[in-house]
Amino acid sequence: GKHRIVIPCLGHFKEEYEKVSKLYMNNKIRTTKYTLLNFLPRNLFEQFHRVANLYFLFLVVLNWFPLVEAFQKEITMLPLIGVLTIIAVKDGLEDYSRYKMDKQINNLLTKVYSR
């Protein structure tokens, strides 16, 4: 069978604990999709997988050609930027609430059986 080593992180065992614990993955729960560094690119990537957002992006790009320009260039960008911003804020708030829940769960006290 599999054997587990449990070393208490107490006083004189601390050095041994740190040496042994580096060999193992931690058991923290992480249910968030984003980090601060990847939020913007990953969120935009996900949003442009929606057909409606691609359609509005196509209209914005098309409007930059003088031959096709129906409205002022900046005005055609407003609906798309508005929708992308609202969805990004919603996704960010949802992810932040998942982060807070993960933090709460990861900081729970746990009872460990010891003979």
Side-chain angles (χ1 to χ4, degrees):
K2 292 185 176 181
H3 298 284
R4 279 195 282 184
I5 300 170
V6 177
I7 300 170
C9 185
L10 302 170
H12 60 279
F13 290 115
K14 190 170 177 101
E15 193 176 301
E16 188 178 353
Y17 169 78
E18 288 172 356
K19 188 168 58 174
V20 172
S21 66
K22 286 180 187 173
L23 304 172
Y24 298 100
M25 296 280 294
N26 65 31
N27 64 347
K28 286 185 177 179
I29 292 172
R30 182 175 180 262
T31 59
T32 56
K33 277 202 261 187
Y34 309 106
T35 64
L36 284 175
L37 294 175
N38 76 6
F39 176 76
L40 194 60
R42 191 167 189 182
N43 188 264
L44 287 173
F45 178 77
E46 287 177 7
Q47 288 198 53
F48 282 115
H49 271 76
R50 297 185 180 126
V51 177
N53 290 345
L54 281 175
Y55 171 74
F56 284 111
L57 179 65
F58 173 72
L59 290 180
V60 167
V61 171
L62 196 62
N63 207 45
W64 279 85
F65 292 101
L67 195 66
V68 188
E69 185 179 347
F71 306 103
Q72 289 181 342
K73 296 173 183 106
E74 296 78 17
I75 291 177
T76 48
M77 292 173 63
L78 289 177
L80 180 63
I81 290 172
V83 167
L84 294 178
T85 303
I86 290 169
I87 294 173
V89 167
K90 177 193 70 79
D91 289 347
L93 290 173
E94 286 175 355
D95 212 52
Y96 181 68
S97 68
R98 282 194 292 268
Y99 165 78
K100 287 193 326 190
M101 185 63 74
D102 291 349
K103 191 173 178 180
Q104 186 179 358
I105 289 171
N106 287 328
N107 289 322
L108 287 175
L109 289 177
T110 306
K111 292 183 179 181
V112 177
Y113 173 75
S114 177
R115 284 190 224 180

